[in-house]
């Protein structure tokens, strides 16, 4: 095996493939990164931990095709610190040698024949603009659960019906959902799967900006999903597809509807959160034309601030975990936010107010339902 490649391209490709390398591999070979070059000038790097695989492909000047397995994390560290010059990579005896300018490294190869067969992605289900997909995933993953004893809640639910895709996460205390339009290969395609949230978030964030993302999915009976774009791809095992009916919970009758400027609201909440301790809520008191934001940490500190608000319906006082509220507001990218409440003990809904309110197409498709903290006084 012998090839020459641009250092920056190599560094990006290695970093992508290294994302799946386990810190404590069940088998020593799983700590390895597979390097493959073909006679037609394609370099592929891959990592796999039996749950998730990551591939990256770049062009290279190939003198001799071949494949080798080397310690992945060490390779990533070395490539990241190489000088900004082309990198020559070749095998020599039991080593893979990297030569870049005055620097030369030798990595002892691992037994490539012991490396597991990389999973093949399912059939192509459709495509979606990469920037749109990355933004949608980023909006919902803050609401994913962190408790691995409830695997379903640690995932992103993806529902597909024709050209409509829904993404949703919940940790039982909140639901974040995003509806978007994509381009299915089959207009009649439907699916409902749960993908590990951390894996999907890392993948969506790292897809090259401007690239089109392809989703590989065979349907609801499949056990694997593939996501690719810009020369980078991943496959992941799916989680149990049993999931709550989140869409029905996002519809409700609201006794109070408040509309407020997003940025000042976020800043005021951050200031009030400075005096809260773990588990201490922020209290919002909505009246006609005003919302009073207050928080206290026992007798040691307190915060109070008022903002202008347009309120329709009843006056209401409701309290939330400051971080839960800020996570929901982070998904809103419009100047104005709508908070809909059904009372101080019932879930409230955060949505973005389209700048063109009369345009149905202007709806951002983002919904964030959050449970309040019960007020004690």
């Amino acid at each position: 095996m012998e090839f020459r490649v641009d250092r920056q391209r190599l560094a990006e490709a290695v970093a992508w493939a290294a994302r799946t390398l386990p810190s404590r591999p069940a088998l020593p070979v799983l700590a390895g990164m597979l390097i493959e070059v073909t006679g037609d000038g394609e370099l592929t790097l891959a990592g796999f931990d039996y749950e998730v695989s990551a591939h990256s492909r770049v062009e290279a000047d190939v003198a001799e095709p071949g494949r080798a397995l080397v310690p992945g994390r060490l390779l990533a560290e070395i490539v990241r610190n190489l000088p900004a010059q082309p990198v020559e990579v070749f095998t020599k005896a039991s080593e893979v040698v990297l030569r870049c300018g005055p620097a030369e490294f030798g990595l002892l190869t691992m037994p490539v024949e012991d490396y597991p067969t990389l999973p093949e992605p399912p059939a192509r289900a459709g495509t979606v603009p990469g920037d749109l997909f990355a933004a949608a995933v980023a909006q919902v993953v803050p609401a994913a659960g962190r408790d691995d004893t409830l695997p379903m809640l640690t995932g992103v639910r993806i529902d597909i019906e024709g050209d409509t895709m829904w993404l949703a996460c919940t940790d039982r205390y909140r639901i974040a959902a995003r509806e978007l339009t994509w381009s299915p290969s089959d207009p009649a395609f439907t699916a409902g799967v749960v993908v590990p949230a951390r894996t999907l978030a890392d993948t969506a964030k790292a897809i090259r900006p401007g690239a089109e993302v392809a989703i590989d999915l065979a349907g609801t009976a499949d056990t694997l999903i593939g996501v690719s774009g810009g020369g980078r791809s991943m496959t992941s095992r799916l989680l149990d597809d049993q999931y709550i009916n989140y869409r029905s919970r996002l519809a409700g009758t609201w006794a109070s509807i408040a509309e407020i400027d997003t940025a000042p609201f976020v800043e005021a909440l951050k200031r009030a959160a400075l005096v809260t301790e773990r588990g201490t809520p922020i209290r919002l008191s909505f009246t006609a034309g005003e919302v009073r934001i207050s928080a206290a940490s026992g007798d040691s500190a307190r915060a109070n601030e008022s903002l202008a608000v347009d309120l329709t319906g009843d006056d209401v006082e409701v309290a939330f975990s400051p971080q839960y509220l800020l996570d929901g507001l982070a998904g809103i990218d419009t100047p104005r936010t709508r908070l809909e409440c059904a009372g101080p003990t019932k879930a409230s809904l955060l949505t973005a107010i389209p700048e063109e309110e009369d345009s149905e197409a202007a709806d951002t498709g983002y919904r964030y339902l959050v449970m309040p903290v019960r007020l004690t006084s």
Side-chain angles (χ1 to χ4, degrees), residues 142-143 169-177 246 249-250 254 265 269 281-282 284 318-329 332 337-351 366-374:
C169 290
T170 182
D171 59 6
R172 294 182 298 177
Y173 304 104
R174 52 190 171 157
I175 300 171
Y246 62 90
R249 304 186 186 202
L250 297 174
W254 313 104
F265 191 32
L269 290 171
I282 285 180
L284 306 179
V318 62
F320 298 100
S321 157
Q323 192 55 55
Y324 280 12
L325 207 52
L326 288 168
D327 284 346
L329 288 164
I332 292 177
T337 294
R338 180 181 291 116
L339 178 64
E340 299 173 271
C341 303
T345 61
K346 295 183 179 180
S348 297
L349 183 68
L350 270 174
T351 55
Y366 175 66
R367 305 286 184 270
Y368 186 87
L369 190 76
V370 57
M371 286 298 297
V373 177
R374 189 176 295 273

Side-chain angles (χ1 to χ4, degrees), residues 47-71:
F48 184 41
D49 67 356
Y50 282 120
E51 296 292 327
V52 181
S53 73
H55 300 70
S56 52
R57 295 177 177 84
V58 294
E59 293 181 357
D61 296 324
V62 179
E64 183 179 350
R67 65 203 302 255
L69 188 68
V70 297

Side-chain angles (χ1 to χ4, degrees), residues 281-339:
I282 285 180
R283 185 174 304 208
L284 306 179
S285 301
F286 291 94
T287 56
E290 182 184 69
V291 56
R292 285 185 290 108
I293 302 166
S294 58
S297 178
D299 296 326
S300 60
R302 64 181 178 83
N304 291 281
E305 188 167 345
S306 294
L307 293 175
V309 67
D310 295 326
L311 180 67
T312 303
D314 302 335
D315 292 355
V316 64
E317 186 172 53
V318 62
F320 298 100
S321 157
Q323 192 55 55
Y324 280 12
L325 207 52
L326 288 168
D327 284 346
L329 288 164
I332 292 177
D333 56 5
T334 56
R336 300 272 289 172
T337 294
R338 180 181 291 116
L339 178 64

Side-chain angles (χ1 to χ4, degrees), residues 113-124:
E113 63 275 7
D114 293 344
Y115 198 69
T117 302
L118 295 168
E120 287 293 326
R124 179 64 42 84

